[in-house]
Amino acid sequence: MAEPVYGLDGKRIFVAGHRGMVGAALMRRLTAYDATLLAVPREEVDLRCQAAVEDWMARERPHVVFLAAARVGGIAANSRYPADFIYDNLMIEANVIHAAHRAGVERLVLLGSTCIYPKLAPQPIPEDALLTGPLEPTNEWYAIAKIAGIKLVQAYRRQHGRDFIAVQPTNLYGPGDNYDPETSHVLPALLRKAHEAKAAGAPRMTVWGSGRPLREFLHVDDLADAVVFLAERYSGEAPVNIGSGEEVSIRELAELVCETVGYGGELVFDASRPDGTPRKLADVSRLSALGWSRARSLRDGLEQTYADFAAAPAGSLRAPA
Ligand code: GDP
């Protein structure tokens, strides 16, 4: 395993976006350190507002910043609110990265997403596929802003010698996920469907598409562990993918979800719903070479997530903001 190049103990650590799924997981992970965790509610500092961010950063002077704040959402939200997706994300990244530079922040980790890669990138997708081809048009507003974020990180490294890095997580699941049936991603959608089908004693449950597409899933607490691992051990201009390294078909996922939930009904595949891209897998060899691997198998992660889901008050199974 790579040796730490930076220690987090004793540091003032700012998690931007601490209420989001990723930010909250980072806050949980970082409690293991003897560090001061800083977080600021949106009502107090709007990260899209340059003056507010600069004032806050100059006053609080964190040593480390995890930039997990972003406007995120699925295909429907991206198509409906393109201005929000590009503007909010560009502003948040530009403001936080520039203010971090001005305040002398020692380490910054920008969280992106594997959807920044070209639509027809080779599979598994290596980091150097970035900017080699046209993007998936439905999420290019978000992707362009996130690519600009990576470029900001690289530019501040080059021009100002700042030790800022960028990472790209694959599809995530776990606490804080969106369980709304129409806008959620497949894993939380299937978990909820199986839970409700079981409760209702329904004989069958519907899965969208053919069940053949392949996807990769990572528990958000494993993601947080990898992000902190990279914050301590990686310094470089090249971004780093974070994934499980394992892909499953949607049919296999649905079967595993039903097993986890204890639902024994029939699976019906609804061909009127789109399959989307046939395969989406991140190449995680850069991360693996540093010595990181996930703690939870998909089976274990699902069990934990289902327990969290079943314990959550119904009102907390939110749709995206
Ligand atoms: P994607 O990874 O960007 O394509 O987004 P999704 O997670 O929404 O969908 C992944 C795959 O799961 C697609 O092939 C969907 O058709 C399939 N799928 C099967 N059942 C569901 C469901 O109930 N909800 C969602 N969102 N996708 C489903």
Side-chain angles (χ1 to χ4, degrees):
M1 186 184 294
E3 288 299 311
V5 292
Y6 186 82
L8 295 174
D9 279 325
K11 298 290 162 55
R12 292 170 64 77
I13 305 178
F14 172 39
V15 177
H18 69 289
R19 283 185 187 153
M21 184 180 176
V22 170
L26 281 166
M27 295 292 280
R28 288 194 292 277
R29 177 67 184 82
L30 289 164
T31 54
Y33 289 87
D34 181 17
T36 305
L37 297 187
L38 308 170
V40 63
R42 194 179 302 182
E43 306 76 57
E44 208 175 297
V45 176
D46 183 340
L47 296 177
R48 295 168 300 186
C49 174
Q50 185 184 29
V53 175
E54 296 220 335
D55 283 355
W56 187 87
M57 201 81 84
R59 197 169 61 240
E60 298 293 336
R61 302 204 84 78
H63 300 103
V64 183
V65 174
F66 290 96
L67 182 38
R71 176 169 292 273
V72 296
I75 187 167
N78 257 275
S79 309
R80 203 153 152 205
Y81 307 110
D84 291 358
F85 275 84
I86 193 161
Y87 176 82
D88 289 1
N89 288 312
L90 282 172
M91 294 304 283
I92 291 168
E93 290 158 2
N95 290 341
V96 174
I97 292 169
H98 186 69
H101 158 60
R102 299 233 337 208
V105 166
E106 294 166 2
R107 293 285 274 167
L108 178 145
V109 184
L110 171 75
L111 276 291
S113 155
T114 50
C115 75
I116 59 162
Y117 291 117
K119 188 180 167 73
L120 301 176
Q123 301 284 335
I125 312 172
E127 290 88 351
D128 58 16
L130 190 67
L131 290 172
T132 56
L135 300 165
E136 160 60 42
T138 50
N139 67 21
E140 69 178 351
W141 318 101
Y142 173 86
I144 293 276
K146 281 291 169 186
I147 293 169
I150 294 173
K151 290 291 154 193
L152 276 163
V153 160
Q154 293 175 342
Y156 280 78
R157 286 188 77 88
R158 280 195 194 181
Q159 187 179 333
H160 298 295
R162 290 289 169 209
D163 202 352
F164 296 174
I165 62 171
V167 301
Q168 269 83 246
T170 187
N171 301 333
L172 302 171
Y173 68 96
D177 210 343
N178 167 25
Y179 285 91
D180 179 73
E182 279 303 316
T183 60
S184 62
H185 283 281
V186 59
L187 192 150
L190 294 179
L191 210 50
R192 180 173 185 161
K193 278 187 198 173
H195 178 75
E196 290 177 353
K198 183 185 173 192
R204 56 192 68 88
M205 157 183 149
T206 306
V207 180
W208 295 357
S210 67
R212 282 192 298 270
L214 298 169
R215 294 287 185 277
E216 175 189 21
F217 301 96
L218 186 69
H219 192 282
V220 71
D221 286 331
D222 285 334
L223 178 267
D225 186 65
V227 171
V228 167
F229 175 93
L230 289 168
E232 290 180 311
R233 290 181 169 80
Y234 176 75
S235 179
E237 201 173 270
V240 183
N241 289 339
I242 303 178
S244 69
E246 171 196 62
E247 52 187 350
V248 292
S249 71
I250 298 302
R251 175 187 287 275
E252 287 165 334
L253 175 71
E255 288 168 354
L256 198 53
V257 165
C258 289
E259 238 179 84
T260 306
V261 171
Y263 173 65
E266 186 197 347
L267 294 178
V268 178
F269 290 87
D270 177 1
S272 71
R273 294 284 193 161
D275 266 351
T277 183
R279 195 174 173 206
K280 196 159 62 177
L281 178 67
D283 181 340
V284 290
S285 40
R286 192 170 282 168
L287 177 61
S288 307
L290 291 166
W292 186 86
S293 59
R294 65 181 173 162
R296 290 166 192 78
S297 63
L298 181 56
R299 184 179 290 272
D300 292 349
L302 270 173
E303 257 170 41
Q304 192 180 335
T305 303
Y306 183 53
D308 294 335
F309 172 88
S316 67
L317 305 176
R318 59 174 183 86

